[in-house]
């Protein structure tokens, strides 16, 4: 088991947003967390990446309790998030943005090899490597954010709403690449409102409702579950 959340709670002031959630991610998996607006998906990601403190429970990563570990030290241990809203550096070129992803690393040969891999995964980024990040389209910026996260060579890649705001064809491409990244050996935990795509691509998934996990199963099981169909897939 690579990641384990055990009875994790998170509060914003007096308001508890996560009420004791438990989930696991095994090495080699793509795991999806789906849920409606405000269900607590982003808060779960913040708890895992360390940008929001826990009010209860425990998070274990790679055999170590990281519940109180600083966010930057979690990155060094191999936990890297590509944030919602992309947050690339708009004034820096594509290559400079990718370099920033490797800031915790010192193995120059490894960094160069990974850069080549990322540019192979995303030919669009290679074409635009000298362009400022801020001039890219939404889909390209999303690719850049994912590419930058990969440059830290994560053991676990956290993706927050990779399809947000993108056209259907670009969403397909992004998910194709997520599957490819996984097949090349990176474990992925992704949060998505696009339940159809997330469930059809994930090995396993969890459904979050108002701060609680209400269902879990294989992607395929949940995709065919009548209550999930009705609530998240727009099929009655
Ligand atoms: P979305 O898809 O809209 O981002 P989400 O599932 O990611 O939704 P969260 O953003 O995690 O949900 O929000 C969970 C709950 O916590 C919501 O009730 C939200 O209003 C509340 N919340 C989130 N961020 C804050 C904050 N900074 N301060 C106070 N409450 C917050």
């Amino acid at each position: 088991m690579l990641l384990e959340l055990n009875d994790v709670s998170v509060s914003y002031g007096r308001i508890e947003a996560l009420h004791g959630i438990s989930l696991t991610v095994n090495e080699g998996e793509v795991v999806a967390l789906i849920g409606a607006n405000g269900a607590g998906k982003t808060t779960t990601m913040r708890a895992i990446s360390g940008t929001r403190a826990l009010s209860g429970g425990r998070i274990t990563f790679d055999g170590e309790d990281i519940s109180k570990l600083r966010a930057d030290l979690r990155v060094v241990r191999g936990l890297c998030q590509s944030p919602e809203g992309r947050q690339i550096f708009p004034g820096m070129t594509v290559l400079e943005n990718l370099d920033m992803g490797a800031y915790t690393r010192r193995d120059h040969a490894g960094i160069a090899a990974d850069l080549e891999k990322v540019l192979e995964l995303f030919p669009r980024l290679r074409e635009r490597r000298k362009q400022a990040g801020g001039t890219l389209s939404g889909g390209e910026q999303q690719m850049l954010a994912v590419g930058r996260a990969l440059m830290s060579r994560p053991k676990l890649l956290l993706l927050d709403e990779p399809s947000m705001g993108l056209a259907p064809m670009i969403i397909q491409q992004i998910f194709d690449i997520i599957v490819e990244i996984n097949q090349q050996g990176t474990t992925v935990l992704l949060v998505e409102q696009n339940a159809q795509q997330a469930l059809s691509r994930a090995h396993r998934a969890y459904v979050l409702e108002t701060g609680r996990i209400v269902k879990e199963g294989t992607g395929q099981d949940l995709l065919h579950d009548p209550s999930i169909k009705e609530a998240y897939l727009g099929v009655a």
Side-chain angles (χ1 to χ4, degrees):
M1 198 180 300
L2 187 57
L3 178 76
E4 181 177 20
L5 271 64
N6 199 322
D7 202 19
V8 165
S9 299
V10 174
S11 300
Y12 296 101
R14 282 196 214 140
I15 299 166
E16 193 176 76
L18 292 182
H19 314 293
I21 68 163
S22 297
L23 62 83
T24 60
V25 180
N26 298 308
E27 221 167 317
E29 282 185 315
V30 176
V31 175
L33 186 62
I34 64 167
N37 259 334
K41 303 183 299 297
T42 299
T43 304
T44 304
M45 285 309 214
R46 288 181 184 144
I48 297 170
S49 66
T51 50
R52 194 82 210 173
L54 308 190
S55 51
R58 193 178 62 224
I59 302 180
T60 313
F61 178 66
D62 208 11
E64 189 188 353
D65 185 343
I66 59 161
S67 310
K68 295 199 167 75
L69 192 67
R70 263 173 31 204
D72 56 328
L73 296 177
R74 297 188 198 195
V75 177
V76 174
R77 281 174 175 67
L79 191 56
C80 187
Q81 178 171 6
S82 171
E84 182 186 36
R86 294 160 210 148
Q87 296 172 20
I88 54 143
F89 302 105
M92 294 174 121
T93 67
V94 166
L95 281 183
E96 286 165 347
N97 266 281
L98 292 174
D99 267 346
M100 291 298 289
Y103 78 98
T104 58
R105 299 172 59 183
R106 295 286 168 269
D107 55 322
H108 296 289
I111 293 171
D114 284 349
L115 177 63
E116 190 47 40
K117 255 196 243 161
V118 167
L119 295 175
E120 265 167 38
L121 274 175
F122 301 102
R124 289 297 286 228
L125 295 184
R126 191 194 296 277
E127 283 167 29
R128 291 169 191 252
R129 63 192 180 279
K130 292 185 180 146
Q131 229 170 284
T135 67
L136 302 181
S137 73
E140 289 162 355
Q141 290 191 21
Q142 183 62 266
M143 292 174 188
L144 182 53
V146 174
R148 190 180 60 187
L150 283 176
M151 288 301 294
S152 72
R153 198 180 277 188
K155 287 188 188 128
L156 177 63
L157 177 62
L158 302 174
L159 295 173
D160 195 351
E161 307 261 0
S163 80
M164 194 169 66
L166 302 180
M169 216 176 76
I170 309 290
I171 293 177
Q172 285 284 353
Q173 281 177 21
I174 294 269
F175 275 95
D176 284 348
I177 288 166
I178 292 169
V179 168
E180 200 172 331
I181 289 166
N182 173 251
Q183 285 168 351
Q184 290 179 6
T186 306
T187 306
V188 179
L189 174 62
L190 70 100
V191 155
E192 257 299 336
Q193 279 204 47
N194 187 328
Q196 174 75 44
Q197 276 292 334
L199 294 179
S200 58
R201 307 300 189 111
H203 298 109
R204 288 190 305 115
Y206 294 86
V207 182
L208 198 56
E209 271 175 23
T210 54
R212 286 192 175 82
I213 295 205
V214 294
K215 210 156 230 181
E216 61 176 286
T218 67
Q220 288 305 316
D221 283 351
L222 294 180
L223 205 52
H224 298 109
D225 181 309
S227 67
I228 302 288
K229 275 187 174 169
E230 191 175 350
Y232 298 100
L233 302 171
V235 199

